[in-house]
């Protein structure tokens, strides 16, 4: 297949970065199409760990072109830091290898301040955002007052728009949120060097992607966050501010509808969530703490401990439907080694009724009781497994059950953090 999207099917951090890094070998272009540096995609290559925030996870493959699409929001200062870090590790991304959409929106320091001040004000009702200004930046995009990446090339107009926005934002910060306003002068002083560093990356990425597809090149789309964090289909209001489901590839990446060949959904062999909101299968016992330690479940963007839960097949079926999933990449099976028995949630119960599918009105998720089936675990180290035959029988049974309950075929199974620690059953680019 020629065009493939990798999409998170839970609440983010499913291991999308590792899967994209693996598939990038067979792609010509790797395209991010939504979100910003609220994403943190981890790659472990030859024992070295890289965390990518806005730059696509094709960055470590010399010769592959990386695209930051129009659906993204870019913190330009954080992007410069990310590019510097990559350069320091011998992965320079020059404008011939990194294209940034003229239409992508900019996250400005006032967006970050607003995000944080609002969360502080919400207290116990807070969303638990990353605090990187993502929601406020998307608000400005929809309000048609945002600054876009191409505006960096027009210094005078950029300055006028920024000053205009700052006036309004500072009033809001001071008078409504009771927070410190942005110092206009010092922000202006930072803009010049930032502009000079980034303008050469401006490109018409939607046109570039469409041309690449027409020319028969292989394009990999890298989703961020996860289906349950999608602004429309997730657990609103405990979601992020963009569409994270596969359809965002068209609006945020510029791919013509109908041209997406396969969606590879990524799920952990259990579940995690960072921040607030419903989480039916959450494990509140000491086992949750143990899995957090063994799975190193601490947010790569913010360092916050991730909440841990059992695998939820109701969510899996929901994500399969919304994303039109071709296959499933199941990660972190190794983390479940030594857990006995294992549980899988196959349905929910609420108000005397059984729900096999996601109940309407996501607030209902707060009230459901998960129905579990138990499966026997295994104790053998599986990190060296490279085929299903290398796995203990009980691990294979667990996988079989996930496939039966989720209805999506298994394409890959992660057995460790490293690039090589994976069982590949079917590579979408090669089938
Ligand atoms: P993403 O946001 O979906 O790319 O996921 P993150 O990078 O935020 O979190 C996934 C974490 O799990 C990272 O630390 C990865 O290195 C790690 N990881 C990915 N796949 C596996 C796996 O199969 N086994 C183990 N043990 N770790 C994995
Ligand atoms: P990746 O791409 C996990 C969560 C935040 C919070 C909510 C809203 O690494 O999987 P935001 O800052 O986006 O307004 O926060 O969304 N969130 C993520 N959780 N992984 C992510 O990205 C996330 N991106 C946002 O924790 O609950
Ligand atoms: Mg992550």
């Amino acid at each position: 297949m020629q065009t493939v999207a990798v999409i998170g099917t839970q609440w983010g951090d499913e291991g999308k970065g590792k899967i994209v890094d693996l598939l990038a070998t067979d792609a010509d272009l790797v395209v991010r199409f939504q979100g910003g540096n609220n994403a943190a995609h981890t790659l472990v290559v030859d024992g070295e760990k890289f965390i990518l925030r806005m730059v696509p996870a094709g960055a470590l493959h010399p010769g592959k072109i990386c695209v930051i699409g129009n659906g993204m929001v870019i913190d330009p200062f954080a992007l410069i830091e990310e590019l510097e870090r990559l350069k320091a590790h011998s992965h320079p991304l020059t404008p011939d290898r990194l294209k940034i959409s003229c239409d992508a929106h900019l996250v400005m320091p006032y967006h970050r301040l607003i995000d944080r001040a609002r969360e502080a004000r919400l207290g116990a009702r807070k969303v638990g955002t990353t605090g990187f200004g993502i929601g406020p930046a998307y608000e400005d995009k929809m309000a048609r007052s945002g600054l876009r990446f191409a505006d960096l090339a027009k210094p005078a107009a950029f300055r006028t728009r920024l000053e205009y926005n700052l006036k309004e934002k500072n009033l809001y910060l001071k008078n409504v949120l009771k927070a410190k306003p942005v110092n206009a002068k010092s922000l202006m002083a930072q803009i010049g060097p930032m502009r000079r560093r980034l303008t050469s990356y401006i490109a018409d990425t939607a046109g570039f992607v469409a041309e690449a597809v027409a020319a028969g090149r292989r394009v990999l789309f890298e989703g961020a966050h996860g289906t349950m964090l999608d602004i429309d289909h997730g657990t609103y209001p405990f979601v992020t501010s963009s569409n994270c489901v596969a359809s965002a590839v068209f609006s945020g990446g510029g791919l013509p509808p109908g041209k997406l060949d396969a969606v590879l959904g990524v799920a952990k062999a259990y579940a995690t969530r960072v921040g607030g909101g419903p989480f039916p299968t959450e494990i509140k016992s000491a086992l949750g703490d143990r899995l957090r330690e063994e799975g190193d479940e601490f947010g790569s963007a913010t360092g916050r401990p991730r909440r841990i839960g059992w695998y939820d097949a109701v969510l899996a079926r929901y994500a399969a439907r919304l994303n039109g999933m071709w296959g499933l990449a199941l990660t972190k099976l190794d983390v479940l080694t030594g857990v006995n028995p294992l549980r899988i949630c196959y349905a929910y119960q609420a108000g005397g009724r059984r729900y096999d599918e996601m109940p309407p009105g996501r607030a209902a998720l707060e009230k459901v009781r998960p129905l579990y089936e138990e499966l026997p675990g295994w104790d053998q180290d599986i990190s060296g497994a490279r085929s299903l035959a290398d796995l203990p029988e009980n691990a294979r049974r667990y996988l079989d059950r996930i496939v039966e309950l989720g209805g999506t075929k298994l394409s890959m199974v992660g057995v460790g953090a490293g690039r090589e620690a994976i069982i590949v059953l079917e590579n979408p680019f090669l089938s």
Side-chain angles (χ1 to χ4, degrees):
M1 285 186 280
Q2 191 198 342
T3 54
V4 176
V6 171
I7 301 290
T9 63
Q10 298 164 317
W11 280 284
D13 302 330
E14 297 91 347
K16 300 175 291 293
K18 174 177 155 164
I19 303 296
V20 170
D21 172 57
L22 175 96
L23 288 175
T25 312
D26 300 303
D28 298 303
L29 263 68
V30 186
V31 182
R32 276 270 318 260
F33 52 92
Q34 41 75 235
N37 60 337
N38 47 346
H41 297 175
T42 314
L43 323 185
V44 179
V45 180
D46 299 329
E48 199 179 354
K49 186 166 163 174
F50 294 87
I51 298 181
L52 298 175
R53 310 294 301 274
M54 287 167 283
V55 170
L60 306 194
H61 294 262
K64 308 289 171 179
I65 295 182
C66 293
V67 173
I68 291 184
N70 58 279
M72 286 190 70
V73 288
I74 303 164
D75 180 329
F77 302 104
L79 180 63
I80 289 172
E81 277 174 29
E82 190 169 341
L83 292 174
E84 289 302 324
R85 256 197 320 275
L86 280 164
K87 194 168 156 199
H89 286 86
S90 313
H91 296 289
L93 280 172
T94 44
D96 54 328
R97 271 202 64 207
L98 175 66
K99 316 265 173 209
I100 304 182
S101 172
C102 46
D103 296 332
H105 276 251
L106 294 173
V107 182
M108 288 281 112
Y110 46 81
H111 293 130
R112 250 193 343 261
L113 292 175
I114 291 171
D115 190 1
R116 289 172 192 194
R118 276 198 195 139
E119 284 281 276
R121 211 160 162 245
L122 280 167
R125 290 185 298 120
K126 70 178 182 198
V127 173
T129 70
T130 55
F132 294 127
I134 304 300
Y138 275 115
E139 278 171 40
D140 281 2
K141 169 177 175 170
M142 293 305 171
R144 296 161 292 184
S145 61
L147 284 154
R148 304 210 287 185
F149 202 68
D151 295 333
L152 291 175
K154 297 168 250 156
F158 187 95
R159 195 188 171 101
T160 309
R161 171 61 72 89
L162 186 67
E163 280 172 347
Y164 182 83
N165 283 358
L166 257 183
K167 270 192 200 129
E168 193 178 297
K169 302 297 176 191
N170 274 344
L171 278 175
Y172 179 54
L173 275 162
K174 262 194 310 204
N175 299 337
V176 179
L177 298 177
K178 311 290 177 212
K180 244 179 93 175
V182 174
N183 182 306
K185 226 175 176 176
S186 78
L187 176 56
M188 292 301 177
Q190 293 168 48
I191 299 291
M194 176 272 277
R195 267 187 350 89
R196 282 191 285 282
R197 178 78 171 77
L198 293 179
T199 41
S200 52
Y201 291 98
I202 300 172
D204 165 20
T205 60
F208 186 74
V209 166
E211 271 171 31
V213 172
R217 300 174 87 192
R218 283 186 181 148
V219 186
L220 177 59
F221 294 91
E222 175 179 351
H225 332 306
T227 299
M228 298 311 291
L229 290 171
D230 181 277
I231 184 78
D232 285 293
H233 303 288
T235 50
Y236 191 90
F238 297 97
V239 292
T240 189
S241 296
S242 62
N243 281 115
C244 321
V245 292
S247 57
V249 160
F250 309 116
S251 53
L255 185 70
K259 295 285 186 194
L260 183 60
D261 295 328
V263 174
L264 182 62
V266 189
K268 273 179 195 164
Y270 46 99
T272 63
R273 147 159 238 178
V274 205
F279 188 2
T281 63
E282 184 163 17
I283 304 172
K284 295 200 169 128
S285 65
L287 176 63
D289 300 330
R290 174 176 147 196
L291 287 173
R292 182 176 304 109
E293 290 302 323
E294 283 176 12
D296 195 18
E297 297 294 0
F298 296 89
S300 345
T302 56
R304 293 177 293 174
R306 294 177 183 148
R307 299 156 67 192
I308 312 287
W310 295 110
Y311 190 81
D312 186 335
V314 182
L315 286 195
R317 291 192 286 270
Y318 183 64
R321 168 168 70 77
L322 280 169
N323 294 298
M325 266 161 63
W326 165 89
L328 173 69
L330 196 80
T331 62
K332 303 191 99 163
L333 186 67
D334 53 301
V335 177
L336 293 180
T337 299
V339 180
N340 206 349
L342 292 162
R343 289 174 136 193
I344 298 180
C345 164
Y346 60 88
Y348 301 144
Q349 183 131 35
R353 211 187 126 182
R354 173 173 155 164
Y355 291 90
D356 288 298
E357 305 303 331
M358 187 65 71
R362 238 59 70 218
L365 271 195
E366 298 277 10
K367 300 191 189 91
V368 300
R369 186 168 65 82
L371 299 176
Y372 291 114
E373 64 182 48
E374 291 196 343
L375 286 101
W378 61 89
D379 290 318
Q380 299 92 321
D381 175 4
I382 61 167
S383 57
R386 295 296 175 265
S387 76
L388 290 182
D390 297 336
L391 293 174
E393 195 188 334
N394 285 347
R396 287 202 304 268
R397 267 176 78 180
Y398 185 71
L399 296 178
D400 287 347
R401 213 46 205 132
I402 281 180
V403 170
E404 281 162 18
L405 288 168
T408 308
K409 71 177 168 182
L410 199 56
S411 308
M412 298 181 187
V413 181
V415 291
R419 188 185 257 178
E420 68 300 331
I422 193 154
I423 298 171
V424 180
L425 302 170
E426 198 176 6
N427 175 332
F429 281 125
L430 308 181
S431 62

